[in-house]
């Protein structure tokens, strides 16, 4: 990504045109194309050149649009607000003209049958699809190593993971192989890879963005969110993503605001809480040091910074993995070898189900299905699923109480910077622990954003800004101010 003084283009156009256009943010690209629409072709050419150059190493994409076809649809969109600038889509979101594999062998040949509502909205706004991004199978994982097809690498260090499960989306944006991307965040999958790849990732309030066309993982937690090069782009995209949708019964958005408006108003009137529980011994020492600088930055910006407590944080991982796996075991029952998917060769109907599922799902997905089925089974339901629901309420109540006092909560997005490829694959529990600071937000249904928070040993780390329900504007304002002021 191009280094910038700040996130608005202030250099004369001449200089901008000298850099590769794929390095621009979405709003910079829009500014450029408003002035010189003819640059659209170069923008798309530059994106493909970067993809050709970096993809052999990064492996962020599972499928890429044909260049001429993309250029044709982009040109048709030139008079729309997003000017034909394409986006990259996590491969668990239905996108016409592309497969939707969910990173699974089971769906290796599955062609999308319609456009998800978010894709429709983006196309209506003038953004076609550049390609489909790699992910952990069915969005289950924190490293993108659970993809059946390939392991995406962190563009900052190719021996390390990009985070997950939207690792392809975040890596594509970080490597300037995309202008922006969409991910899904059930338990951190937008924020985690954004943090590890040094880009911005926003998980909106549960229900703000339609999930029609997103392959369901855990329906009480799933949200789609943007992964971008700066905070302004996240706000801009949310303007098109946050919409009420009759195709998603949990869709809550009504009269959504312009998220970019007033984004530069600063944080002087905000009280920002740092939760003690997010600074325990599992936190990397380097990130702890960075967090001191985050705090100083908010103080310098004039915010009132205080310590707070979210006492039930320690139960979040167990609670999340029981609830998410239980819901996944039900949602994934539809993949049976009869509909959608590849099927096993057999003449027996029972074997068709079991063999297809055995051949189609990878080990992590099977683990979740087993865990979820067990937690929901008669005799264990109260002890596991029932208890997890109770603990979910306590975690939500922690946040409700905190937001009675503070406007925003600031904490690390991940306990460590990007880890080595292979480091945690043999130890699922260790992998689950990567999610310790990001799953509480999903359990509470609230919004949160990861913003680049400097580097530890040359690897990016993310500051997570959390807000109460529908507090996206506050989060974006704080992120915008932070991004402009923070110095590593
Ligand atoms: N690490 C989380 C999990 O494996 C990520 C889930 C997600 O947000 N899609 O469940």
């Amino acid at each position: 990504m191009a280094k910038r003084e700040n996130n608005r283009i202030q250099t004369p156009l001449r200089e901008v045109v000298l850099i590769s256009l794929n390095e621009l943010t979405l709003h910079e690209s829009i500014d450029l194309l408003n002035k010189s629409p003819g640059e659209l072709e170069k923008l798309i050419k530059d994106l493909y050149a970067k993809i050709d150059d970096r993809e052999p190493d990064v492996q962020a994409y599972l499928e890429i649009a044909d260049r001429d076809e993309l250029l044709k649809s982009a040109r048709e969109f030139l008079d729309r607000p997003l000017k034909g600038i394409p986006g990259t889509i996590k491969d668990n979101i239905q996108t016409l003209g592309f497969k939707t594999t969910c990173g699974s062998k089971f769906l290796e040949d599955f062609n999308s049958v319609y456009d998800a509502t978010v894709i429709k909205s983006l196309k209506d706004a003038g953004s076609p699809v550049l390609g489909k991004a790699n992910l952990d199978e069915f969005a289950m994982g924190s490293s993108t190593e659970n993809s059946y097809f390939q392991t995406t690498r962190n563009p900052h260090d190719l021996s390390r993971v990009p985070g997950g499960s939207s690792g392809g989306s975040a890596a594509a944006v970080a490597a300037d192989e995309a202008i922006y991307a969409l991910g899904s965040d059930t338990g951190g999958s937008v924020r985690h890879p954004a943090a590890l790849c040094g880009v911005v990732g926003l998980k909106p309030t549960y229900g703000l963005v339609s999930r029609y066309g997103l392959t369901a993982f855990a329906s009480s937690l799933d949200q789609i969110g943007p992964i971008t090069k700066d905070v302004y782009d996240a706000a801009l995209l949310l303007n098109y993503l946050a919409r009420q949708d009759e195709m998603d019964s949990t869709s809550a958005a009504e009269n959504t605001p312009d998220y970019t408006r007033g984004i530069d108003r600063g944080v002087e009137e905000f009280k920002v809480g740092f939760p003690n529980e997010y600074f325990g011994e599992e936190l990397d020492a380097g990130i702890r040091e960075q967090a001191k600088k985050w705090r100083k930055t908010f103080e310098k910006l004039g915010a009132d910074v205080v310590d707070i407590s979210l006492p039930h944080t320690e139960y979040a991982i167990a609670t999340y993995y029981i609830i998410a796996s239980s819901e996944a075991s039900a949602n994934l029952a539809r993949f049976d070898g009869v509909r959608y998917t590849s099927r096993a060769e057999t003449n027996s109907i029972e074997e068709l189900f079991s063999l297809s599922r055995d051949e189609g799902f990878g080990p992590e997905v099977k683990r979740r299905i087993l865990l979820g089925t067990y937690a929901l089974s008669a005799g264990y339901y109260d002890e596991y699923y029932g208890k997890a629901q109770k603990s979910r309420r306590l975690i939500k109540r922690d946040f409700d109480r905190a937001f009675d006092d503070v406007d925003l909560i600031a904490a690390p997005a991940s306990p460590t910077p990007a880890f080595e490829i292979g480091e945690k694959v043999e130890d699922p529990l260790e992998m689950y622990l990567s999610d310790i600071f990001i799953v509480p937000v999903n359990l509470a249904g609230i919004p949160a954003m990861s913003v680049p928070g400097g580097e530890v040993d040359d690897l990016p780390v993310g500051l997570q800004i959390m807000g109460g329900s529908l507090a996206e504007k506050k989060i974006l304002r704080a992120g915008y101010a932070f991004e402009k002021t923070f110095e590593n």
Side-chain angles (χ1 to χ4, degrees):
M1 219 190 307
K3 289 259 184 271
R4 293 182 189 80
E5 288 293 295
N6 58 43
N7 57 2
R8 277 182 189 279
I9 242 178
Q10 285 181 342
T11 45
L13 202 54
R14 257 173 292 119
E15 285 177 41
V16 174
V17 182
L18 285 180
I19 72 163
S20 299
L21 299 186
N22 58 302
E23 292 176 22
L24 298 178
T25 65
L26 178 60
H27 63 94
E28 288 166 349
S29 313
I30 294 171
D31 288 349
L32 172 70
L33 296 180
N34 272 329
K35 287 171 203 142
S36 357
E39 295 291 341
L40 180 62
E41 193 165 338
K42 177 161 172 14
L43 179 104
I44 289 180
K45 209 175 117 234
D46 287 353
L47 275 168
Y48 279 87
K50 191 65 171 187
I51 289 172
D52 283 347
D53 176 39
R54 290 291 271 159
E55 243 339 66
D57 285 335
V58 178
Q59 299 191 44
Y61 283 93
L62 292 177
E63 197 178 353
I64 298 168
D66 174 78
R67 194 174 113 174
D68 294 334
E69 272 176 35
L70 178 68
L71 193 59
K72 193 164 155 265
S73 35
R75 280 207 193 99
E76 282 164 15
F77 287 160
L78 247 176
D79 56 351
R80 301 187 190 184
L82 298 179
K83 301 273 156 211
I85 301 154
T88 293
I89 308 298
K90 186 177 185 179
D91 204 22
N92 60 351
I93 298 175
Q94 292 281 322
T95 309
L96 274 179
F98 293 85
K99 290 184 193 173
T100 295
T101 68
C102 297
S104 181
K105 178 169 187 270
F106 227 152
L107 294 170
E108 196 171 4
D109 300 314
F110 181 81
N111 290 315
S112 307
V113 281
Y114 59 96
D115 269 337
T117 298
V118 288
I119 302 299
K120 230 169 147 292
S121 303
L122 289 170
K123 286 182 180 170
D124 286 347
S127 180
V129 175
L130 170 58
K132 301 296 291 289
N134 194 26
L135 69 161
D136 285 300
E137 184 176 2
F138 287 103
M140 297 173 185
S142 311
S143 67
T144 318
E145 291 164 293
N146 294 338
S147 166
Y148 168 69
F149 302 102
Q150 64 206 33
T151 294
T152 299
R153 292 159 188 276
N154 192 314
H156 294 268
D157 177 344
L158 296 173
S159 69
R160 291 176 188 267
V161 302
S165 64
S166 317
S169 297
V173 173
D176 289 316
E177 291 181 49
I179 301 288
Y180 77 86
L182 289 190
S184 64
D185 193 313
T186 302
S189 280
V190 161
R191 291 160 287 148
H192 186 260
L196 271 47
C197 290
V199 293
V200 173
L202 172 68
K203 181 213 110 62
T205 302
Y206 181 74
L208 187 65
V209 175
S210 165
R211 299 163 313 160
Y212 179 65
L214 168 71
T215 306
F217 165 6
S219 305
S220 76
L221 303 161
D222 299 339
Q223 257 300 276
I224 291 173
I227 296 179
T228 56
K229 296 178 188 178
D230 72 4
V231 173
Y232 192 90
D233 273 3
L236 185 60
L237 284 164
L238 196 59
N239 280 349
Y240 300 102
L241 297 172
R243 287 220 185 142
Q244 204 169 32
D245 181 12
E246 60 178 23
M247 300 304 282
D248 177 354
S249 60
T250 62
S251 149
E254 237 179 314
N255 303 323
T256 49
D258 177 347
Y259 291 96
T260 62
R261 208 160 151 212
I263 197 170
D264 56 356
R265 279 174 48 208
V267 294
E268 272 179 29
E269 68 215 53
F270 291 164
K271 192 167 178 183
V272 180
F274 278 70
N276 298 327
E277 293 77 6
Y278 285 58
F279 294 89
E281 59 192 31
E282 63 281 355
L283 181 64
D284 173 271
I287 301 184
R288 190 185 308 278
E289 284 309 303
Q290 284 302 115
K292 291 181 186 155
K293 298 188 209 162
W294 302 342
R295 208 176 161 120
K296 284 212 181 82
T297 303
F298 280 119
E299 281 163 354
K300 193 164 135 195
L301 286 164
D304 182 10
V305 179
V306 295
D307 288 316
I308 60 160
S309 173
L310 296 167
H312 296 93
T313 304
E314 63 175 303
Y315 303 113
I317 288 280
T319 306
Y320 167 80
Y321 275 93
I322 287 179
I323 291 176
S325 305
S326 299
E327 293 183 18
S329 72
N331 275 328
L332 268 53
R334 76 192 63 181
F335 301 109
D336 53 11
V338 178
R339 297 161 294 179
Y340 318 113
T341 52
S342 56
R343 64 176 60 166
E345 304 255 349
T346 166
N347 290 327
S348 135
I349 183 78
E350 265 162 45
E351 250 183 40
L352 175 70
F353 296 151
S354 60
L355 274 183
S356 300
R357 286 168 73 81
D358 188 36
E359 290 169 10
F361 289 135
E364 183 58 31
V365 176
K366 287 180 185 157
R367 184 178 295 122
R368 305 283 179 111
I369 293 172
L370 288 174
L371 200 68
T373 308
Y374 186 78
L376 289 176
S377 58
Y380 292 104
Y381 183 96
D382 288 341
E383 200 175 331
Y384 294 107
Y385 187 73
K387 218 180 222 170
Q389 291 291 25
K390 285 183 193 147
S391 136
R392 179 176 190 171
R393 272 198 293 281
L394 293 174
I395 289 164
K396 172 146 184 14
R397 205 177 60 191
D398 282 356
F399 280 112
D400 290 343
R401 287 189 177 152
F403 289 123
D404 281 343
D405 180 37
V406 299
D407 296 281
L408 296 167
I409 297 175
S414 160
T416 64
F419 41 91
E420 294 279 344
I421 290 172
E423 193 180 323
K424 300 190 182 182
V425 273
E426 301 300 328
D427 188 347
L429 207 57
E430 193 55 35
M431 189 72 89
Y432 298 170
L433 288 172
S434 321
D435 303 341
I436 184 159
F437 302 144
I438 38 179
V439 294
V441 156
N442 301 77
L443 292 167
I446 59 177
M449 178 167 69
S450 180
V451 185
E455 289 186 353
V456 170
D457 300 330
D458 295 328
L459 294 168
V461 295
L463 155 71
Q464 181 180 205
I465 306 174
M466 303 168 247
S469 188
L470 298 174
E472 278 81 359
K473 277 199 93 152
K474 278 188 187 176
I475 293 176
L476 289 160
R477 245 172 89 177
Y480 185 85
F482 179 86
E483 178 183 67
K484 276 184 173 301
T485 315
F486 177 73
E487 281 164 30
N488 196 21

